[in-house]
Amino acid sequence: KAVVSTQSGHYGRGADQRDERFAMFDTFDPNGNGILSLAEVDKAIRDVLAIDELFDAKPAIMRAFQAAKACGKGRADIGDDYIEKLEFKRFLLGLRMYFEYWVAFKRIDEDDDRRISFEEFSEAEEIMKKWITNFGDLQEEFDTIDENDGGMILFIEFCKWAIAKSLDLEDDDE
């Protein structure tokens, strides 16, 4: 959680936290147009935050970006491909959450193919029970997550399940 926290340590609603977020947004916005493309966000994560592990978590960045766009009202003149300053808080919160899910996903995905097989899922049962208090039958959980019935769990499917189950890594920085 400390990965994307502000200096004050949280994303409060106070003026100081808002000002801090807005200043961070400005460092992410190299051309000063008040909107961020996914490419600008990606570059800022690499160059401004300079956290390689987060920069390498492209699926988490994409999910957070998409979630922030979906929650904002959006200016009609910029379309759906950007996030605005007022959506930036949602992006940061989403990035923190989806990064945690990415870390969990990667711990299960032993062959690093960005998909989780039933075998990998089975081998990770005990660790997943530490993350999720209401973990059910192994096959039923796998089938629930595998929404497209492809026989493999994709990151987006894993995220939906993790949100529904309130997944929480036991070793993250609260």
Side-chain angles (χ1 to χ4, degrees), residues 144-162:
T144 298
I145 302 168
D146 183 21
E147 291 180 341
N148 69 0
D149 295 323
M152 301 290 260
I153 297 171
L154 306 176
F155 182 61
I156 190 168
E157 295 171 325
F158 184 81
C159 288
K160 290 176 185 177
W161 176 76

Side-chain angles (χ1 to χ4, degrees), residues 109-144:
D109 180 23
E110 292 179 1
D111 63 6
D112 204 27
D113 66 351
R114 294 189 175 196
R115 303 176 307 165
I116 297 173
S117 67
F118 183 73
E119 181 180 336
E120 290 169 321
F121 193 74
S122 298
E123 290 174 10
E125 181 178 12
E126 292 307 311
I127 188 96
M128 287 187 291
K129 287 180 176 178
K130 293 178 183 177
W131 305 336
I132 296 169
T133 56
N134 58 344
F135 192 90
D137 174 76
L138 192 64
Q139 186 66 57
E140 287 177 18
E141 291 287 354
F142 185 88
D143 292 343
T144 298

Side-chain angles (χ1 to χ4, degrees), residues 7 17 28 53 55 96:
Q7 290 175 354
Q17 290 84 16
F28 275 49
E53 187 177 13
F55 177 70
R96 187 260 168 257

Side-chain angles (χ1 to χ4, degrees), residues 59-92:
I61 296 168
M62 174 63 85
R63 293 269 52 88
F65 190 85
Q66 296 297 327
K69 287 186 343 183
C71 290
K73 295 177 182 158
R75 293 180 359 212
D77 63 323
I78 63 168
D80 294 331
D81 296 327
Y82 303 91
I83 57 174
E84 302 171 46
K85 193 172 273 195
L86 293 176
E87 298 165 327
F88 193 60
K89 177 179 180 179
R90 177 71 63 185
F91 169 74
L92 291 173

Side-chain angles (χ1 to χ4, degrees), residues 2-5 24 27-28 40-58 61 95 99:
V3 168
V4 293
S5 67
M24 181 185 280
T27 65
F28 275 49
E40 288 172 325
V41 166
D42 193 52
K43 184 178 185 315
I45 288 172
R46 183 193 68 206
D47 299 344
V48 176
L49 297 181
I51 302 169
D52 292 339
E53 187 177 13
L54 183 59
F55 177 70
D56 293 338
K58 300 296 186 212
I61 296 168
L95 185 59
F99 182 69

